[in-house]
Amino acid sequence: MLSYILTLLPSILEGLVMTLKVFFVTLVLSIPLGVIVSIFRLSRFKPLSKITELYIWVMRGSPLMLQIVFIFFGLPIVGIAFDRFTAVIIAFVLNYAAYFGEIFRGGIESIDRGQYEAAKVLGLSPYRTFMRIILPQVIKIVLPSISNEVITLVKDTSLVYIVGLGELLRAGKIASIRDVSLVPLVLVTVAYLLLTAIFTVAFNKIEKRYSYYE
Amino acid sequence: MVLKVDWLNKSFGKKRILKDISFELNTGEILTIIGPSGAGKTTLLRCINGLEKSDRGTIFIDNAYLCRDYNDKNIYARSREMKEIRQKIGMVFQNYNLFPHMTVMENIIEAPIHVLGLSRDEAVNRAYELLESLGLEDKTDSYPFQLSGGQKQRVAIARALCLNPKILCLDEPTSALDPELRGGIASIIENLASKGMAILIITHDMDFAKRVATRVIFMEDGRIIKEGEKEEFFNSFKDDRIRKFMVL
C-alpha cells in the first residue's frame, strides 16, 4: 500500500505545483484588482459604475468553467490567442476580482461617513484618505469573507483541467482510472484539506493581527 | 476678525436650511450658536468647514474667501486655496471621528505630516506638547477604543489644533459627556480663547453656553433670531421664542 502511494506521489506533487501556481497568481492579481473594481463600482461617474456592475453580473452570473472555455477556445476565433496558463489566469483573475470587488464594496460602504469627513477637514487628499484611513479599516472588516473566497479558490483551481493543464485533481483522476483505485482520490482529498487547513490558519493569524483595535 | 459670514443661503432640494445668515467671529472670542434641532446650526458649521457647499453668500476666513457671490453665482475657492483655508479651521465633530485603527499619536500626526509637510519628529513633538497640555501625555500609544468619551474628545481637539488653526469649531461638545466632565472641556476652551484662538461652538446645552460663551447667536428655522454679548443675551428674555427654548 505504502509503496503504491509512493509511486503516485510524483504525479500528484506535479499537479499540486500547478494548483498552487494558479492559486497564488490569481490571488496576488485579483485582490488588488478587486479593490479597483469596488472603487469603480462605487464611482459617482454613472457609466463607469454601470459598466462595472455589468462586468460583475457576467462574472458572478456564469460558471467559471465557461469563462475559461470562452477565453481559451473562444477568443482565438477573433484573433486573440493566449497559451493555456495565461488564458486560465485571465479567467480566474477576472472572475475572482468580481467577487472580491463586491466584498470590498460592502466593506467600504460600511465605513462611517464621519471618517471621510474627518479626513477631509484635516486636508488629507482623497488618495491618502483611501489608502491610510479607509482601506486599513475595510481590510479588517472583509477578512472573514476574503478567507472564505480564498478557500473556494483552492478548490476552483481544479477547473483548469478543461484546457488540459495537469493540476492536482486531474493527476488523481488519471491514476484512479488507470489503477481502478480510489486511493489516488483519497490522496488528492488529503492534499486539498491540507491546503485549506494551511490557509485557514494563515487567515486566522492575519485576523488576529488586525484585532489590535475594535 | 477671523471669520465673516455674509448673507449665507443653503437649500437641500426645495427646503431652505440657511436663510441670509450673517455674523462675524473675532480672535479670542467664544461664539456659541444655540437653537432647537433643525434650526440649521449643523449645516451652517458644515458650510464653514467646507463639508457642504452654500448656494449663495460669502464665507471669509482669515483674509481668504472660501466662497462668494460673483455674477449671480456662488464661486468657491480653488482646491489649492481650499486646502489652505481648511487648515485655518479646526473641527471637533460631535462623535469625534477619530481613526480607530490608529493610535492617539498617529491620529494627531497624520495630517501635520502629510498636509503641512512636517517631519515625523516635528509632528510628534508638536503633538506631544498638545497632549501634555490636555493631560493625555500617557495615552500616546492607546487606541481610541481604549479611551473614555472625554479623553477621545481631547484627542480630537489635539488633532485639530496640531494644524495650527485660527478657528476651532466644536459641534455639540457636551452631548456625549458626563455632566462632571463639562467643566473640564469648558476650561480647555476658555484657555484656548485666552491664547487668541477664535472658537465657534454649536450646542443646545444652555448651561454650557452660559458658562463658556463670550457671545451668543440664537438660530431658529434657518435664521439668526438674536445675537448678543453673553450678559446682554441672557439678561434679555424679551424674545418669546428664545425664552421658550431656554426653559425647555
Side-chain angles (χ1 to χ4, degrees):
Chain A
M1 186 65 181
L2 197 65
S3 63
Y4 174 57
I5 291 176
L6 282 176
T7 63
L8 293 174
L9 278 184
S11 62
I12 293 211
L13 283 179
E14 209 176 300
L16 182 65
V17 168
M18 175 55 73
T19 293
L20 288 175
K21 256 164 82 182
V22 174
F23 174 82
F24 279 114
V25 176
T26 302
L27 204 60
V28 165
L29 296 177
S30 64
I31 287 184
L33 190 61
V35 174
I36 295 170
V37 167
S38 68
I39 294 169
F40 282 3
R41 174 73 181 78
L42 289 168
S43 166
R44 255 173 278 167
F45 180 57
K46 275 278 173 265
L48 185 60
S49 158
K50 284 287 165 200
I51 288 170
T52 312
E53 211 180 329
L54 182 72
Y55 153 76
I56 290 168
W57 173 59
V58 170
M59 287 298 150
R60 295 199 309 172
S62 63
L64 174 54
M65 187 196 275
L66 290 182
Q67 293 162 17
I68 299 170
V69 167
F70 284 132
I71 287 175
F72 184 67
F73 297 105
L75 287 185
I77 299 170
V78 292
I80 309 168
F82 301 106
D83 65 72
R84 293 164 202 282
F85 187 74
T86 311
V88 157
I89 291 300
I90 291 172
F92 268 79
V93 169
L94 287 179
N95 182 278
Y96 269 81
Y99 282 96
F100 286 135
E102 283 299 89
I103 291 172
F104 281 116
R105 178 172 71 99
I108 291 171
E109 283 181 328
S110 72
I111 301 294
D112 182 42
R113 235 182 49 171
Q115 294 287 304
Y116 293 93
E117 293 186 344
K120 199 170 175 186
V121 297
L122 287 172
L124 297 177
S125 68
Y127 176 76
R128 278 217 87 76
T129 301
F130 186 76
M131 296 307 281
R132 300 270 305 163
I133 311 298
I134 306 302
L135 194 56
Q137 297 185 55
V138 167
I139 288 173
K140 178 186 167 87
I141 293 168
V142 301
L143 265 176
S145 317
I146 296 277
S147 111
N148 215 13
E149 254 349 278
V150 164
I151 288 187
T152 308
L153 174 59
V154 172
K155 293 171 291 170
D156 271 356
T157 53
S158 64
L159 289 172
V160 305
Y161 81 90
I162 197 85
V163 297
L165 286 178
E167 44 62 64
L168 190 55
L169 181 57
R170 187 165 120 127
K173 255 201 255 172
I174 289 171
S176 170
I177 293 166
R178 182 192 60 210
D179 304 337
V180 199
S181 163
L182 276 180
V183 174
L185 293 185
V186 172
L187 220 54
V188 164
T189 309
V190 170
Y192 278 118
L193 284 173
L194 279 176
L195 283 183
T196 48
I198 291 167
F199 295 130
T200 307
V201 170
F203 266 92
N204 285 345
K205 280 234 166 86
I206 302 175
E207 275 179 46
K208 208 170 237 157
R209 195 180 316 156
Y210 269 91
S211 66
Y212 65 87
Y213 74 93
E214 279 171 10
Chain B
M1 175 199 68
V2 65
L3 167 72
K4 185 178 161 74
V5 175
D6 214 14
W7 287 91
L8 196 73
N9 280 274
K10 169 78 185 167
S11 303
F12 288 119
K14 280 198 170 162
K15 190 159 168 41
R16 284 185 73 194
I17 306 294
L18 299 178
K19 301 167 186 169
D20 303 334
I21 299 287
S22 303
F23 69 92
E24 285 182 13
L25 175 65
N26 297 306
T27 50
E29 231 184 354
I30 304 175
L31 175 63
T32 59
I33 301 180
I34 60 173
S37 30
K41 309 186 296 288
T42 299
T43 306
L44 174 59
L45 189 58
R46 290 173 64 85
C47 285
I48 292 167
N49 65 27
L51 288 174
E52 299 284 355
K53 288 203 165 177
S54 61
D55 305 327
R56 269 276 181 285
T58 305
I59 300 174
F60 185 73
I61 294 165
D62 192 37
N63 293 323
Y65 284 101
L66 177 67
C67 64
R68 62 179 143 176
D69 291 333
Y70 181 76
N71 274 352
D72 226 31
K73 263 188 175 157
N74 203 227
I75 306 286
Y76 262 80
R78 298 215 188 87
S79 59
R80 181 162 301 170
E81 297 168 296
M82 192 87 154
K83 205 175 137 189
E84 270 171 38
I85 295 171
R86 273 227 170 86
Q87 282 163 26
K88 293 173 179 168
I89 311 170
M91 175 71 199
V92 179
F93 291 93
Q94 186 169 4
N95 50 7
Y96 319 131
N97 292 339
L98 297 177
F99 305 131
H101 59 303
M102 293 180 168
T103 63
V104 164
M105 183 55 86
E106 289 167 341
N107 259 280
I108 299 172
I109 63 175
E110 180 71 19
I113 291 175
H114 297 293
V115 179
L116 295 187
L118 295 189
S119 75
R120 205 186 153 80
D121 284 349
E122 286 173 301
V124 166
N125 284 340
R126 197 191 271 194
Y128 191 80
E129 258 171 50
L130 283 166
L131 286 171
E132 213 171 15
S133 72
L134 295 165
L136 286 171
E137 65 274 15
D138 56 337
K139 298 290 180 194
T140 51
D141 295 326
S142 301
Y143 286 91
F145 80 94
Q146 296 165 317
L147 304 177
S148 71
Q151 291 169 333
K152 279 185 207 164
Q153 183 175 51
R154 279 179 280 154
V155 174
I157 291 172
R159 186 171 71 173
L161 293 178
C162 209
L163 289 169
N164 272 340
K166 304 265 183 192
I167 309 167
L168 185 67
C169 302
L170 299 101
D171 189 5
E172 300 285 0
T174 57
S175 69
L177 292 186
D178 295 333
E180 60 266 28
L181 289 173
R182 288 180 192 177
I185 180 69
S187 33
I188 288 170
I189 289 168
E190 280 159 355
N191 188 24
L192 286 169
S194 71
K195 289 177 189 152
M197 181 76 68
I199 298 197
L200 180 63
I201 300 173
I202 279 178
T203 184
H204 46 250
D205 180 341
M206 294 303 295
D207 291 332
F208 185 70
K210 264 185 201 164
R211 154 101 205 249
V212 296
T214 56
R215 199 149 54 85
V216 184
I217 284 178
F218 179 79
M219 269 181 82
E220 191 180 57
D221 194 26
R223 280 183 202 287
I224 292 179
I225 305 291
K226 187 172 168 60
E227 176 180 355
E229 298 300 316
K230 176 165 72 172
E231 299 301 319
E232 169 205 336
F233 184 94
F234 285 108
N235 289 335
S236 63
F237 273 74
K238 282 179 208 134
D239 195 309
D240 234 19
R241 282 170 296 192
I242 300 175
R243 189 165 51 210
K244 228 193 286 171
F245 176 73
M246 301 224 284
V247 171
L248 272 177

